[in-house]
Amino acid sequence: MTDAPDDPAVAAAYHPARAVVDLDAIAANVGVLTGYAGGAAVMAVVKADAYGHGLVPAARAALAGGATWLGTAQVGEALALRAAGVTAPRLLTWLYDPAVPMDALLAADVDVTVAAPWALDAVVDAARRTGRTARVHIKVDTGLGRNGLPPADLHALLPALAAAHAEGALELIGVWSHLAAADEPGNPLAHAQAAVLDDAVRALEAAGLPPQVRHLANSAALLTDPRLRYDLVRPGIAVYGLTPAVSLGTSDRWGLTPAMTLEARLATVKHLPAGHGISYGHAYVTPADTTVAVVPLGYADGIPRHASGTADRPGGPVGVNGRVVPVAGRVCMDQVVLDLGPGATERAGDVVEVFGTGRDGGPTAEDWAQRAGTIGYEIVTRVGSRIPRVHVGTAGRAGGPEATEGTDG
């Protein structure tokens, strides 16, 4: 027998599961979000491999849907987009350490965030080396306590910013921040953060550095609070059709369509007697003679172990031929088991849906999040790299309205 090549792409081709990503749904979601934006420009956030949906295809689909900006946390993803030929939109990146390839970012026409004093030095040094004017966004820590310049640090940095601007080393494009509790409508923290951002804008204007755009709103703020939309909004999870918080309602409430469907082929189907333990520790025991099936997906593929099932607590929901069946027993590294019931007719090779749009009554990523005690973001972003992404739909593909050079990646 000949071994398959030691290549991740080959390994993915043999995997008995796939994540189907609907590019047209991504484009349509961006169109919906543009309607909510009230005139603000839309930055589609494609960080974390576009929330697990595939960086380059998802970015192109978002552009086809009307986004005029793209955003990545990691600089490697920004450079990957440029390398793939995604050159049309403005592209912002914001999370890096002192080893950042700043010269490469400037050469690739990527907007960079200054969130610490050392980052300004890095930007100015790169601008001088490359002879390029850096497009800079100042990130202010308005209360999240994470990345960003505290207001006092921003005020201390104003002379250096003004000097770099006068030198031509940088152009101030934007000022922005991250919200701490946008998924809690009515929480006063969001407007308190906005007030801090407004103060930062006034300080920059007084220093002769008026920003071209201000941006604060994530998916939740975009959908629920016009006060926070400013000039540019940064939807992330909503681009992919998931609600930013269960408390805000399901995707349907906002007219969004989940773009990813995770499906797998059953590996084993067999009969077991009543009283038979299932999976490690026998946390689940069959209550009657039954048929069980093995789904060849586990926590190595991103199935949350917290969605294991017991007799008292149903596990993660799986769609099987028009009905929803919970995981029985512990989620393992590579597989989970379903108790299909005594009258089951399924066979090995049948396709089951782990999550999808929910429009046909099947499970959604949000359903899995509730079973696992987490959020929908985590469910889609943790889908493992060994599961192939199959992109369907025409939005953003070569030859379409937002065609770009390169492959669909």
Side-chain angles (χ1 to χ4, degrees):
M1 184 175 77
T2 302
D3 291 333
D6 185 15
D7 183 333
V10 174
Y14 285 103
H15 202 287
R18 64 180 193 164
V20 180
V21 177
D22 186 345
L23 299 177
D24 292 341
I26 291 174
N29 291 334
V30 172
V32 170
L33 295 169
T34 299
Y36 283 112
V42 174
M43 176 190 294
V45 177
V46 293
K47 65 179 182 177
D49 195 31
Y51 289 58
H53 291 69
L55 175 66
V56 174
R60 288 181 172 150
L63 295 175
T68 54
W69 290 72
L70 296 172
T72 71
Q74 302 293 338
V75 300
E77 290 187 317
L79 292 172
L81 285 169
R82 292 301 195 226
V86 182
T87 59
R90 294 313 323 160
L91 172 57
L92 174 67
T93 191
W94 54 81
L95 189 61
Y96 53 86
D97 65 16
V100 60
M102 192 66 74
D103 292 17
L105 290 171
L106 300 192
D109 193 29
V110 175
D111 289 27
V112 294
T113 291
V114 167
W118 67 262
L120 177 60
D121 294 337
V123 166
V124 172
D125 289 346
R128 290 169 177 164
R129 283 192 302 270
T130 63
R132 294 175 177 269
T133 299
R135 290 174 53 93
V136 167
H137 296 236
I138 301 297
K139 185 172 184 186
V140 183
D141 180 0
T142 57
L144 184 58
R146 219 170 54 173
N147 203 34
L149 288 159
D153 288 359
L154 172 62
H155 283 272
L157 205 61
L158 288 174
L161 279 167
H165 182 267
E167 177 187 338
L170 66 81
E171 179 183 9
L172 183 62
I173 303 299
V175 60
W176 69 291
S177 191
H178 263 105
L179 291 165
D183 57 346
E184 301 173 13
N187 189 321
L189 179 56
H191 284 195
Q193 287 190 257
V196 176
L197 185 69
D198 293 342
D199 286 343
V201 171
R202 284 190 286 269
L204 288 163
E205 290 173 339
L209 297 167
Q212 299 175 26
V213 292
R214 303 157 297 162
H215 46 112
L216 182 62
N218 56 7
S219 292
L222 163 59
L223 293 171
T224 64
D225 197 334
R227 160 73 174 88
L228 304 175
R229 291 170 188 159
Y230 288 99
D231 312 299
L232 176 65
V233 293
R234 303 189 312 269
I237 196 67
V239 169
Y240 310 100
L242 275 68
T243 182
V246 174
S247 62
L248 301 180
T250 65
S251 303
D252 283 342
R253 174 186 175 184
W254 306 107
L256 303 171
T257 300
M260 182 188 291
T261 296
L262 180 60
E263 57 187 32
R265 297 187 299 275
L266 295 180
T268 302
V269 179
K270 63 185 179 182
H271 299 289
L272 289 180
H276 198 294
I278 301 293
S279 195
Y280 293 121
H282 287 183
Y284 179 89
V285 176
T286 57
D289 293 354
T290 192
T291 299
V292 300
V294 171
V295 181
L297 289 171
Y299 58 75
D301 302 293
I303 303 299
R305 199 165 181 268
H306 283 89
S308 297
T310 68
D312 301 322
R313 180 181 179 275
V318 177
V320 181
N321 288 332
R323 66 192 194 278
V324 177
V325 179
V327 168
R330 289 184 187 168
V331 173
C332 306
M333 182 179 290
D334 306 290
Q335 55 194 292
V336 297
V337 181
L338 307 177
D339 184 345
L340 299 177
T345 59
E346 283 74 27
R347 297 182 178 182
D350 285 357
V351 176
V352 298
E353 183 181 86
V354 180
F355 59 77
T357 66
R359 300 284 166 80
D360 57 357
T364 66
E366 292 158 5
D367 294 330
W368 273 86
Q370 291 186 58
R371 294 283 176 91
T374 184
I375 55 178
Y377 301 68
E378 185 175 356
I379 300 300
V380 291
T381 59
R382 70 187 293 166
V383 173
S385 60
R386 68 180 179 178
I387 297 178
R389 270 63 170 175
V390 178
H391 293 95
V392 300
T394 61
R397 291 190 182 275
E402 291 291 340
T404 52
E405 297 178 1
T407 67
D408 278 344

